[in-house]
Amino acid sequence: MSKSVSLEEAAGFLLRHQRILVLAHQKPDGDALGSVLGMRSFLRNLGKQADALFPSPLPERYRSFAGPVLTALSRQEAEQNYDLIVLLDCANAERIACGPALDADFLRSRNLLNIDHHVGN
Ligand SMILES: [Mn+2]
């Protein structure tokens, strides 16, 4: 079940979780990469354990500032290692870059915060 929340509610939701996985859409471009890395940095600065997942290779020009990122994650790892998934810049479920081991139905079964600027989302 999904619902829209205010910025304050979204912030509160972030603060209540500690182990957070951040991901975006497939074939990441500048706003996908920038928003994921920015969120990862923000969460780590709050003392959270935060990781970025990019199952498809990053464009060469972005690799130098991305730092270490996850390139694959099993379902078991996702369940055991994270209590919240933050999805950014992803217009629809078909484009979520979660890798072959995970899918949109799995993500919906987890605590999920979806933040996006696409009108159709
Ligand atoms: Mn994008």
Side-chain angles (χ1 to χ4, degrees), residues 25 29 31-32 89:
H25 62 73
D29 53 2
D31 64 337
D89 188 38

Short mmCIF file of all heavy atoms in Angstrom, two decimals, residues 25 29 31-32 89, ligand 1:
data_model
loop_
_atom_site.label_atom_id
_atom_site.label_comp_id
_atom_site.label_asym_id
_atom_site.label_seq_id
_atom_site.Cartn_x
_atom_site.Cartn_y
_atom_site.Cartn_z
N HIS A 25 16.97 4.78 -11.20
CA HIS A 25 16.52 4.07 -12.40
C HIS A 25 17.69 3.42 -13.13
O HIS A 25 18.86 3.72 -12.90
CB HIS A 25 15.75 5.01 -13.33
CG HIS A 25 16.54 6.18 -13.85
ND1 HIS A 25 17.51 6.06 -14.81
CD2 HIS A 25 16.50 7.49 -13.55
CE1 HIS A 25 18.03 7.25 -15.09
NE2 HIS A 25 17.43 8.14 -14.32
N ASP A 29 21.73 8.35 -15.21
CA ASP A 29 22.24 9.59 -15.79
C ASP A 29 22.64 10.53 -14.65
O ASP A 29 22.73 10.11 -13.49
CB ASP A 29 21.17 10.21 -16.70
CG ASP A 29 19.84 10.36 -15.97
OD1 ASP A 29 19.76 10.03 -14.76
OD2 ASP A 29 18.88 10.83 -16.61
N ASP A 31 21.13 13.03 -13.04
CA ASP A 31 20.25 13.27 -11.87
C ASP A 31 20.03 12.02 -11.05
O ASP A 31 19.86 12.10 -9.82
CB ASP A 31 18.95 13.98 -12.26
CG ASP A 31 18.04 13.18 -13.18
OD1 ASP A 31 18.53 12.28 -13.88
OD2 ASP A 31 16.84 13.48 -13.20
N ALA A 32 20.05 10.84 -11.68
CA ALA A 32 19.96 9.61 -10.90
C ALA A 32 21.19 9.44 -10.01
O ALA A 32 21.09 9.23 -8.80
CB ALA A 32 19.83 8.40 -11.84
N ASP A 89 14.41 9.33 -8.39
CA ASP A 89 14.48 9.65 -9.82
C ASP A 89 14.01 8.51 -10.70
O ASP A 89 14.51 8.33 -11.81
CB ASP A 89 15.92 10.07 -10.18
CG ASP A 89 16.02 10.60 -11.60
OD1 ASP A 89 15.09 11.30 -12.05
OD2 ASP A 89 17.02 10.29 -12.28
MN MN B 1 17.45 10.48 -14.33
#
